[in-house]
């Protein structure tokens, strides 16, 4: 039961951290999307799959941010147990 609660709270907090990161990087994301849109206008149709792949790679950062938060939490728990032992 406790581990389910922890997992739920970690998931909730991970989404909160992701939101903060997205807000902090809003300018960069807009710039990336603007550049991508311009490239789509001037590149041949055959290259659009590569541009979509770049867009997908950029979107994957969300998963990395959430995973990094979980790793940080796990490290903090290990450090806490080391200090208390």
């Amino acid at each position: 039961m406790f581990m389910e609660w922890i997992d739920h709270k970690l998931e909730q907090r991970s989404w909160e951290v992701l939101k903060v990161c997205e807000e902090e990087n809003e300018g960069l994301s807009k710039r990336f999307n603007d550049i991508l849109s311009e490239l789509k206008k001037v590149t041949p149709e055959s290259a659009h799959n590569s541009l979509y792949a770049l867009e997908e790679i950029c979107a994957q950062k969300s998963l990395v941010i959430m995973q990094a938060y979980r790793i940080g939490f796990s490290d903090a728990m290990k450090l806490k147990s080391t200090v208390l032992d």
Side-chain angles (χ1 to χ4, degrees), residues 30-76:
K30 183 181 177 341
R31 185 170 170 219
F32 178 83
N33 290 330
D34 290 347
I35 292 169
L36 199 59
S37 293
E38 287 300 314
L39 287 172
K40 286 177 184 175
K41 291 177 189 175
V42 297
T43 56
E45 191 75 30
S46 60
H48 283 200
N49 282 343
S50 295
L51 295 176
Y52 295 132
L54 285 175
E55 193 172 24
E56 180 63 27
I57 290 168
C58 188
Q60 292 297 319
K61 71 180 179 215
S62 300
L63 298 176
V64 173
I65 291 168
M66 294 178 77
Q67 185 62 32
Y69 181 79
R70 286 181 171 269
I71 290 169
F73 179 82
S74 177
D75 288 349

